[in-house]
Amino acid sequence: MTRYNPAEIEARWQSAWEASDVFKAVRSADKPKYYVLEMFPYPSGRIHMGHVRNYTMGDVIARYKLATGHNVLHPMGWDAFGMPAENAAMAIGGHPKDWTYGNIKDMRDQMKPLGLSIDWSREFATCDPEYYGQQQALFLDFLQEGLVYRKNAIVNWDPIDMTVLANEQVEAGRGWRSGALVERRELTQWFFKISEHSDALLDALDSLDNWPAKVKLMQANWIGKSRGLQFAFSTVEGPEGHDRIEVYTTRPDTLMGASFVGISPDHSLAKELEKDNPDLAAFCAECRKGGTTEEAIETAEKLGFNTGITVRHPFDTAHELPVYIANFVLMDYGTGAIFGCPAHDERDFEFATKYGLPIISTYLPSEESPEALDEAYVPAKTDKVFYNRGFAGEQWQTGHEAIDAAIAFCESNGVGQGVTKFRLRDWGLSRQRYWGCPIPVVHCETCGVVPEKKENLPIELPYDVDFSTPGNPLDRHPTWRDCACPSCGAPAKRETDTMDTFVDSSWYFARFTAPRAETPTITEDAAYWMNVDQYIGGIEHAILHLLYSRFFARAMEMTGHLPKSANEPFDALFTQGMVTHAIYQTPKQDGRPIYHYPEDVDLRDGKAFLKEDGQEVEIIPSAKMSKSKNNVVDPLNIISNYGADTARWFVLSDSPPERDVEWTASGAEASHKHLTRVWTLCDKIAAMDPGAAGKDDEALLRAMHKTIHDVTLGVETFGFNAAIAKLYAFTATLSKSKANHAAQRKAIMTLAQLMSPMTPHLAEDIWKHQGGEGLIVTAPWPKADDAMLVDDVVTLPIQINGKRRAEISVPADMSKEEVEKIALAHEAVIRTLDGATPKKIIVVPGRIVNVVA
RNA sequence: GCCCAAGUGGCGGAAUGGUAGACGCAGGAGAUUCAAAAUCUCCCGCCGCGAGGCGUGCCGGUUCGAGUCCGGCCUUGGGUACCA
């Protein structure tokens, strides 16, 4: 009897796989291709259980597809640009490049022991000049295609550090380092014209049959197609050039209830009025304080400033409405001006109540007059009839019908026109930071903004930069900016902004198809490998990353870098949950908790105590693993204690993959025990007498075929936890089986195959131990025999009025009438019916009988 | 604020609209052992002696039948355009 020694067998099989090059993806016409990709990691320095879970899921799919005869591409790379590298450089010194490449090496070393079926020959990092140089080439092609332009946009400005802040660096409206109140400031920035593709990106969602419905819905809402009315209010005594205020509304049916007009503090009229009204200017300045996020703007207290200007209602010129500057009106959406109808909009209601504006109802819940409204009455339900009074006596039901009727009415009366608008804004890609892909353009005094020549790419980041003061080191670099104008040759200055890191991750999946190419992609490779057949990653990327990638695929198609068939790059998407872990904390004097590491805590009877002094510790369950909370479980410890197969098995077994999983030490222990049990079982079967007679051989094989069926289905539908439950059950069946050696050997080898995507090392070892041919990784996936899946006799529960009262065993093919007769004759049924005649009997063959009394 | 999810025993969870709690953890009882570890067997939603009743976040609805479908809430999580 040997001992299960994961350290030894895992190293051995990883070498065997490497030696045989089984995971190297080579184009070939003789097999269907399958491209499986997990969202590539940011090289933070340590892998965590979330990575293990994400890559193990992808690995299960990759290995399963390999076993079902596919030519599999399963690559890995690094999303390597971004703020943390610069933050580390500022906090602990060193250089972002060294920090990043050091982290990549560390993480690769931590990842390799997991035994993932990755083609490491295709690995790259987005901070490799070979990668970002090709990204610069893409940028130039997009520029030429008219997909990129410059305009002003608002950023968070820290007035003390004199630097642009990311939203993450703004805490409660203040800069995270300086503590200064953040201001909004306009900068000229580069934009991708993603909004021109709004309709296409929205419509194509329908074709993504293998994407989660929730992700498609979130994207659709984000793109936000709306039909509304755009029209102008005429001002009564507006300043010169402001005799009209353009307004866009999605609720033109409530126009008769308008009681004020709100304009953004950044609206041209507000800016005009600011010039000679100090109070108004002060109000606008106040509105411009705080972060730029939609969340910050929408949750801020609603504030208004009466400009004193009024406008005429388009259908009642005697009715004058006040114009307010309102902090909740976004300049980026619509026209930067709205009309407020407090009776039918919660936010307008709040505003009107605060500033004493009239509340005019246009809809009634019935034909009777309404009492005074004390909250906004929003007639949202289309199944009820509401009446709109106004519009010269026209009455409409609510919903789209009323909106369409209102637009038609306004158009025919010369008040504006119906327009379609999108919420989606263009993608601002300029970042005033060092550790990103330089934007390959040059600023020339005579020629203006000039694209860099392709032969000068890559425009590499300089290494000699200084992080001792805040701001973009490229701006301060003594020589890097100096260059010759690509157009006239005169001395010119480089653009010092770098690209948003979302650009890097918007095409890496295409680059994996030809990672060393001298062009962004190679036609034949992209045509062969694209699309990604299965993409796997966190739900937190449901909108931005996935939408940007979809846009990029289209832009790459327009510029000849991807085939038309790849303009939706991800055929199937799976979004997995996070790995969580309990937080152990004790209170500190100042109220802030002290966080304790799991290894410093003893668990007894569901309570936790400090090992050091026995003090009881508060347990906060299921928190996202976070370094600052000391609740990160290092996968390396698990691997060194139990082996990679145990870590893989556990992250797949306990929770459904789309949900968060809580890491528990006891769960990992249990996984390891189970794998040991399978190992021992293999040994036991190998030692059996091949000539001895067995008992119930057929029953074992039936159970085996059911397991093949269930596990295959589980793997194909991401039901890994359910598949593993079936494997537990089959292992128990096999270990109790008295079947002969041939049947048991068949069963353990099939079990190994079914386990091989999850625990590949153990599976290889069992395969070899039982005399399997070649590597299990390339052995064809077992096939369930349909004839072995059907039972002859089924157990049917009998319900009376939906409550289970009895059960009967009947042949599977028994007729409904027979089943009904047997059910009614059942002693428990007769007793419960107590002489009453059943009104109805429902027999669902193979499922249930329900007697309605 | 807005958009999208999730909520089932002590815990993680299972369940094509058809026996709620598969499988695992923890717990309990027993076997083995000089003893322990390891291993194996059995029990294990709540109330009730029992018959039985109650149970899938809360309230209501559809259905012969609802964890599952519909409406309204509550709580937690994700996103909210410069975290990745």
Side-chain angles (χ1 to χ4, degrees):
Chain A
M1 176 83 67
T2 53
R3 218 180 119 82
Y4 175 43
N5 181 352
E8 187 267 319
I9 68 169
E10 289 178 3
R12 180 148 45 81
W13 290 111
Q14 284 168 22
S15 313
W17 296 328
E18 204 176 330
S20 61
D21 250 357
V22 274
F23 305 134
K24 194 165 174 104
V26 182
R27 271 204 281 142
S28 134
D30 60 353
K31 283 190 206 168
K33 70 94 188 176
Y34 196 90
Y35 183 2
V36 56
L37 182 67
E38 301 95 52
M39 291 180 187
F40 65 165
Y42 178 79
S44 59
R46 305 289 297 173
I47 63 167
H48 54 70
M49 291 315 303
H51 292 123
V52 174
R53 193 176 186 214
N54 189 206
Y55 303 128
T56 301
M57 284 180 202
D59 204 45
V60 169
I61 302 294
R63 286 172 177 275
Y64 170 70
K65 290 293 173 182
L66 200 60
T68 51
H70 292 79
N71 195 20
V72 173
L73 171 58
H74 185 209
M76 179 60 68
W78 309 95
D79 187 14
F81 276 135
M83 286 203 310
E86 289 189 43
N87 291 339
M90 284 187 275
I92 59 173
H95 194 281
K97 183 176 176 180
D98 303 334
W99 185 85
T100 302
Y101 281 104
N103 284 351
I104 288 173
K105 187 195 174 300
D106 290 348
M107 284 181 77
R108 191 193 303 114
D109 289 348
Q110 293 162 34
M111 218 181 263
K112 290 236 168 150
L114 284 170
L116 302 170
S117 63
I118 284 168
D119 178 359
W120 286 100
S121 74
R122 291 174 185 256
E123 177 190 359
F124 61 79
T126 55
C127 62
D128 298 341
E130 296 75 22
Y131 181 79
Y132 72 72
Q134 298 304 329
Q135 186 163 303
Q136 291 168 338
L138 280 180
F139 178 90
L140 294 177
D141 287 349
F142 288 7
L143 187 61
Q144 189 166 16
E145 187 69 26
L147 290 161
V148 196
Y149 69 104
R150 296 215 310 160
K151 71 168 180 183
N152 283 354
I154 293 167
V155 295
N156 300 305
W157 180 256
D158 186 319
I160 290 181
D161 279 352
M162 303 288 279
T163 179
V164 176
L165 297 178
N167 288 332
E168 195 190 42
Q169 298 170 316
V170 178
E171 289 168 356
R174 291 173 182 275
W176 67 343
R177 292 189 198 283
S178 70
L181 273 175
V182 168
E183 295 167 8
R184 290 177 209 155
R185 178 175 273 218
E186 274 199 349
L187 289 182
T188 306
Q189 312 212 55
W190 288 95
F191 284 82
F192 288 123
K193 284 190 190 167
I194 187 172
S195 68
E196 270 188 7
H197 299 263
S198 296
D199 246 329
L201 289 167
L202 181 64
D203 289 347
L205 287 173
D206 284 340
S207 70
L208 301 175
D209 295 331
N210 295 309
W211 278 43
K214 62 181 171 183
V215 174
K216 291 191 278 186
L217 190 56
M218 279 190 264
Q219 292 220 353
N221 289 337
W222 183 263
I223 294 168
K225 185 174 187 170
S226 67
R227 171 116 178 115
L229 179 75
Q230 184 157 336
F231 68 101
F233 286 102
S234 57
T235 52
V236 175
E237 277 175 359
E240 210 180 314
H242 293 279
D243 53 342
R244 292 156 57 84
I245 297 177
E246 283 282 334
V247 165
Y248 173 74
T249 177
T250 57
R251 291 297 304 278
D253 54 319
T254 66
L255 180 53
M256 293 307 165
S259 67
F260 68 95
V261 167
I263 63 172
S264 161
D266 299 312
H267 192 273
S268 59
L269 174 59
K271 286 183 174 169
E272 177 68 34
L273 296 170
E274 255 186 308
K275 288 177 186 163
D276 40 35
N277 185 338
D279 288 348
L280 188 150
F283 177 79
C284 287
E286 197 58 39
C287 288
R288 286 187 200 110
K289 288 215 173 106
T292 57
T293 66
E294 187 184 307
E295 187 196 3
I297 292 165
E298 289 279 343
T299 55
E301 193 194 352
K302 311 283 172 281
L303 294 176
F305 187 95
N306 192 341
T307 60
I309 292 172
T310 58
V311 295
R312 292 184 189 91
H313 194 285
F315 290 105
D316 178 7
T317 48
H319 182 189
E320 290 187 13
L321 314 175
V323 176
Y324 277 75
I325 295 171
N327 65 346
F328 59 87
V329 180
L330 303 169
M331 196 58 218
D332 284 323
Y333 183 65
T335 61
I338 56 138
F339 76 77
C341 177
H344 306 303
D345 181 280
E346 304 275 358
R347 198 174 56 181
D348 294 348
F349 184 88
E350 191 189 323
F351 192 83
T353 310
K354 183 165 181 172
Y355 293 103
L357 298 164
I359 296 166
I360 308 158
S361 175
T362 71
Y363 276 108
L364 314 178
S366 70
E367 289 183 76
E368 291 97 59
S369 295
E371 300 306 311
L373 294 167
D374 54 8
E375 61 181 304
Y377 173 64
V378 185
K381 293 203 190 74
T382 47
D383 60 332
K384 290 183 190 158
V385 176
F386 298 90
Y387 292 93
N388 188 311
R389 47 173 191 193
F391 293 111
E394 305 240 357
Q395 294 197 334
W396 304 309
Q397 207 169 319
T398 61
H400 290 288
E401 185 197 309
I403 290 166
D404 290 343
I407 290 171
F409 182 88
C410 291
E411 282 181 342
S412 65
N413 283 279
V415 176
Q417 56 264 242
V419 292
T420 297
K421 281 203 190 290
F422 293 90
R423 205 185 79 96
L424 181 64
R425 308 198 298 254
D426 279 334
W427 170 12
L429 66 117
S430 300
R431 296 291 181 271
Q432 296 70 45
R433 273 187 268 284
Y434 166 76
W435 193 233
C437 170
I439 296 173
V441 299
V442 164
H443 298 271
C444 169
E445 275 193 20
T446 43
C447 308
V449 180
V450 187
E452 185 55 270
K453 289 180 183 161
K454 273 202 184 167
E455 58 261 36
N456 291 340
L457 302 185
I459 304 301
E460 281 198 52
L461 289 167
Y463 184 79
D464 54 333
V465 282
D466 160 35
F467 288 94
S468 57
T469 48
N472 182 357
L474 294 178
D475 257 344
R476 298 190 297 265
H477 194 278
T479 55
W480 184 78
R481 300 184 69 176
D482 301 327
C483 64
C485 170
S487 172
C488 69
K493 295 282 182 196
R494 291 198 182 287
E495 169 80 54
T496 59
D497 282 357
T498 52
M499 295 187 204
D500 178 8
T501 55
F502 272 124
V503 180
D504 313 337
S505 55
S506 290
W507 71 287
Y508 77 106
F509 48 87
R511 183 68 181 171
F512 275 136
T513 66
R516 312 286 171 241
E518 302 283 322
T519 45
T521 57
I522 290 174
T523 308
E524 299 78 41
D525 289 300
Y528 178 77
W529 289 113
M530 288 298 284
N531 291 341
V532 177
D533 292 279
Q534 181 67 61
Y535 196 33
I536 306 170
I539 185 67
E540 67 272 21
H541 295 294
I543 297 174
L544 294 179
H545 162 62
L546 289 165
L547 188 61
Y548 291 155
S549 296
R550 294 178 62 217
F551 163 71
F552 242 69
R554 273 157 212 274
M556 287 175 77
E557 186 239 312
M558 291 168 75
T559 47
H561 295 293
L562 277 180
K564 173 103 182 127
S565 57
N567 74 6
E568 280 300 336
F570 311 122
D571 277 352
L573 171 71
F574 186 85
T575 54
Q576 109 265 11
M578 298 179 300
V579 178
T580 63
H581 192 280
I583 294 174
Y584 303 111
Q585 62 180 41
T586 47
K588 212 165 65 175
Q589 265 83 356
D590 66 359
R592 291 216 306 230
I594 303 171
Y595 301 107
H596 303 279
Y597 291 101
E599 53 265 36
D600 295 338
V601 169
D602 270 330
L603 293 176
R604 289 195 298 272
D605 306 328
K607 290 179 180 171
F609 305 90
L610 278 186
K611 279 183 182 163
E612 197 183 3
D613 58 5
Q615 189 193 353
E616 187 167 350
V617 173
E618 191 187 355
I619 305 174
I620 314 279
S622 301
K624 184 174 175 170
M625 285 192 184
S626 158
K627 265 188 192 168
S628 62
K629 305 281 169 64
N630 289 350
N631 69 333
V632 177
V633 175
D634 192 332
L636 291 190
N637 293 339
I638 307 296
I639 293 170
S640 60
N641 286 342
Y642 301 115
D645 281 339
T646 292
R648 296 171 58 119
W649 184 262
F650 176 71
V651 291
L652 294 170
S653 66
D654 242 24
S655 282
E658 68 276 12
R659 240 195 272 177
D660 294 349
V661 62
E662 173 140 4
W663 180 273
T664 57
S666 57
E669 177 91 35
S671 295
H672 186 251
K673 277 184 189 171
H674 178 72
L675 298 188
T676 306
R677 221 171 282 140
V678 175
W679 170 273
T680 312
L681 190 53
C682 170
D683 256 357
K684 195 187 92 186
I685 291 168
M688 280 173 75
D689 172 8
K695 216 176 114 194
D696 297 330
D697 304 348
E698 159 109 6
L700 178 64
L701 293 176
R702 273 182 178 274
M704 182 187 87
H705 280 278
K706 274 194 178 142
T707 308
I708 294 172
H709 174 268
D710 292 346
V711 171
T712 304
L713 189 71
V715 168
E716 283 185 348
T717 59
F718 278 82
F720 303 129
N721 56 326
I724 283 180
K726 301 289 183 186
L727 289 169
Y728 268 109
F730 182 59
T731 306
T733 303
L734 176 55
S735 65
K736 283 177 201 154
S737 173
K738 301 275 187 286
N740 65 28
H741 175 254
Q744 292 209 32
R745 177 174 177 265
K746 178 81 190 148
I748 189 83
M749 289 181 78
T750 302
L751 177 64
Q753 283 194 283
L754 296 176
M755 288 173 72
S756 68
M758 295 114 174
T759 56
H761 314 86
L762 175 62
E764 287 285 6
D765 228 63
I766 292 173
W767 189 254
K768 179 161 179 252
H769 206 49
Q770 298 290 342
E773 215 173 289
L775 292 170
I776 201 171
V777 70
T778 48
W781 191 253
K783 213 172 148 20
D785 178 354
D786 288 343
M788 299 287 266
L789 301 179
V790 281
D791 289 315
D792 303 337
V793 176
V794 291
T795 304
L796 291 185
I798 302 170
Q799 296 184 330
I800 294 172
N801 292 329
K803 279 196 188 300
R804 183 177 165 279
R805 296 295 176 180
E807 64 179 36
I808 53 174
S809 277
V810 295
D813 55 358
M814 186 180 254
S815 74
K816 278 191 177 192
E817 291 72 26
E818 288 284 307
V819 170
E820 196 176 310
K821 213 181 287 173
I822 292 173
L824 285 179
H826 195 280
E827 172 268 329
V829 176
I830 294 167
R831 175 160 37 89
T832 315
L833 282 176
D834 195 24
T837 317
K839 290 197 191 97
K840 197 172 168 188
I841 298 160
I842 290 141
V843 179
V844 184
R847 278 287 175 195
I848 203 164
V849 179
N850 190 12
V851 180
V852 186

